[in-house]
Amino acid sequence: MDTRFTAEQDEIRRTVRKVLAGRCGPQDVRAAADTDAGYDPALWGTLAGQLGLSGLALPEAYGGAGCTTTELALACEETGRCLAPSPLLSTAALAAPLLHALGTEVQRAELLPRIASGELTAALAVPGTALATALGLVGDNRGDWAGGGRAGGVQARRADGVWRLYGEAGQVLDGHSAGLLVVAAHTGGFARSRTLLFLVREGGVRTRQTALDATRPCARVQLRDAEGEVLGEDGADVTEALAAVGDRAAAVLACEAVGAADRALERTVEYVKRREQFGRAIGSFQAVQHRLADVYVRVQAARSAAYYAAWATRHGERVGGLALAQALRALRSAAGQGIQLHGGMGFTWEHEAHLYFKRAAGDELLFGPVHRLRAHAAGTARLFTETEVAM
């Protein structure tokens, strides 16, 4: 692995940071999160339309930049630093890779150029609260998380040549505002049930949910006789595609969490240098220095793991879930220490410190928790199955 970034990768980071610096301060973040869409459409137009972030990892044949997961992860590291609300994760890291991996040539040609230009946003909808399971991050995704042919979940029935979907998805990132839903549903009844992905362009009731992290809006999608189009050809390995996309998305999420953790640590260091107690800056106290040094080590270790996970997506190694676990732990530590060292000010609505803690907790609810991410990674690597004992 070459640990050096290319000039193009460094330029992506600098450009995204420069754009966000003037348009995504704490007050801007709160104002965007409070809108019906949950993000600033003008900023999204800049990120997707002008900078091309939504098509960064899509092939040039479909209007994308032809880059890799690493470039998308580096861009998301910068959006994570300021907690920028946008449909970038749901569209570029979850829905678009599934469309590219499974879609027919007609579906790709119709949808991917619109996603690459920022014209169309998309969201992945899985039954109930099974997002992490469906993506293969916390367990085997070949189980009955989509309903298993039984009542519940999301079911699809074919009548008169048209697929109709019924059911509910409860953790749909940006599902209330997305122009396209990619819905996982079970078909075929109990005896021959299988999971397929469907494109739902309209129909259903979408309700934005009150979330712990307002900068990461989620929706509940209720489907009642909604018309769907099968994504790709019949017989495709949907669960394997979801697991592959889940690993890449975890690497992107890990970089995003590292960016947030790094910014939370920076803000705390800035504060302890100014805040005085007993006639001296609290940052000069050894206890404070030790606490922040521990956070710094965790953030740097998480950064290395996140970069490696992004690189590994092209080399057949799936370590995204483990990198995400380390990054979320680093973010929780950086945000928690930031709140404590800011004192009472750190958990007031007027200050931004609490927003980083909510991002860490919210991402654990969606994609974790950390101990399950680690347990699944350990099980996949078969760390605790060997019975040999050294003599």
Side-chain angles (χ1 to χ4, degrees), residues 98 101-102 124 126 134-136 141-142 145-146 182-185 194-198 230-246:
L98 287 171
L102 297 176
L124 173 63
V126 300
L135 294 174
N141 69 343
R142 295 183 183 275
W145 52 268
V182 181
V183 182
R194 54 183 176 152
T195 301
L196 294 179
L197 294 179
F198 294 86
V230 177
L231 176 62
E233 302 292 345
D234 194 5
D237 192 344
V238 171
T239 53
E240 172 58 25
L242 283 168
V245 168

Side-chain angles (χ1 to χ4, degrees), residues 111-122:
L111 299 172
L112 291 182
R114 296 175 61 198
I115 287 177
S117 67
E119 173 193 349
L120 177 67
T121 60

Side-chain angles (χ1 to χ4, degrees), residues 218-292:
C218 291
R220 182 177 69 248
V221 176
Q222 297 172 303
L223 301 170
R224 299 291 184 270
D225 199 35
E227 182 176 339
E229 173 190 345
V230 177
L231 176 62
E233 302 292 345
D234 194 5
D237 192 344
V238 171
T239 53
E240 172 58 25
L242 283 168
V245 168
D247 180 74
R248 292 195 291 271
V252 172
L253 275 163
C255 283
E256 187 187 69
V258 165
D262 189 56
R263 181 54 180 160
L265 178 59
E266 282 182 8
R267 292 284 284 145
T268 304
V269 171
E270 292 170 0
Y271 177 74
V272 299
K273 287 180 178 180
R274 299 192 311 267
R275 178 73 167 93
E276 292 189 358
Q277 190 65 270
F278 305 112
R280 54 189 288 197
I282 63 174
S284 65
F285 298 137
Q286 192 175 57
V288 173
Q289 293 174 357
H290 285 177
R291 291 167 71 173
L292 293 179

Side-chain angles (χ1 to χ4, degrees), residues 71-357:
E71 284 76 17
L72 179 60
L74 292 176
C76 285
E77 183 179 355
E78 297 305 318
T79 62
R81 282 179 58 86
C82 58
L83 304 179
S86 80
L88 181 61
L89 177 67
S90 59
T91 299
L94 292 175
L98 287 171
L99 293 171
H100 181 249
L102 297 176
T104 64
E105 187 54 42
V106 173
Q107 291 170 335
R108 293 175 183 174
E110 175 196 357
L111 299 172
L112 291 182
R114 296 175 61 198
I115 287 177
S117 67
E119 173 193 349
L120 177 67
T121 60
L124 173 63
V126 300
T129 56
L131 180 60
T133 302
L135 294 174
L137 296 177
V138 295
D140 183 8
N141 69 343
R142 295 183 183 275
D144 60 356
W145 52 268
R150 302 175 177 85
V154 176
Q155 307 295 325
R157 302 174 185 172
R158 188 176 178 87
D160 299 325
V162 178
W163 285 99
R164 299 287 180 179
L165 275 62
Y166 308 82
E168 180 177 304
Q171 290 180 331
V172 187
L173 287 173
D174 300 298
H176 60 293
S177 61
L180 175 70
L181 293 179
V182 181
V183 182
H186 254 280
T187 67
F190 178 74
R192 299 178 56 193
S193 66
R194 54 183 176 152
T195 301
L196 294 179
L197 294 179
F198 294 86
L199 303 177
V200 177
R201 292 175 169 82
E202 58 185 20
V205 178
R206 308 184 190 186
T207 308
R208 182 177 176 181
Q209 301 292 91
T210 300
L212 175 64
D213 177 15
T215 66
R216 185 86 84 194
C218 291
R220 182 177 69 248
V221 176
Q222 297 172 303
L223 301 170
R224 299 291 184 270
D225 199 35
E227 182 176 339
E229 173 190 345
V230 177
L231 176 62
E233 302 292 345
D234 194 5
D237 192 344
V238 171
T239 53
E240 172 58 25
L242 283 168
V245 168
D247 180 74
R248 292 195 291 271
V252 172
L253 275 163
C255 283
E256 187 187 69
V258 165
D262 189 56
R263 181 54 180 160
L265 178 59
E266 282 182 8
R267 292 284 284 145
T268 304
V269 171
E270 292 170 0
Y271 177 74
V272 299
K273 287 180 178 180
R274 299 192 311 267
R275 178 73 167 93
E276 292 189 358
Q277 190 65 270
F278 305 112
R280 54 189 288 197
I282 63 174
S284 65
F285 298 137
Q286 192 175 57
V288 173
Q289 293 174 357
H290 285 177
R291 291 167 71 173
L292 293 179
D294 288 342
V295 172
Y296 176 80
V297 170
R298 285 188 176 181
V299 172
Q300 295 306 315
R303 174 175 278 118
S304 296
Y307 289 169
Y308 180 82
W311 173 85
T313 57
R314 296 190 65 192
H315 297 82
E317 186 178 2
R318 294 185 180 179
V319 292
L322 191 56
L324 178 58
Q326 191 161 353
L328 291 179
R329 183 168 180 262
L331 176 54
R332 180 180 282 269
S333 177
Q337 292 291 349
I339 288 175
Q340 289 189 29
L341 293 175
H342 275 84
M345 180 177 63
F347 53 81
T348 60
W349 178 249
E350 289 75 15
H351 200 273
E352 63 179 307
H354 70 100
L355 296 177
Y356 289 89
F357 191 85

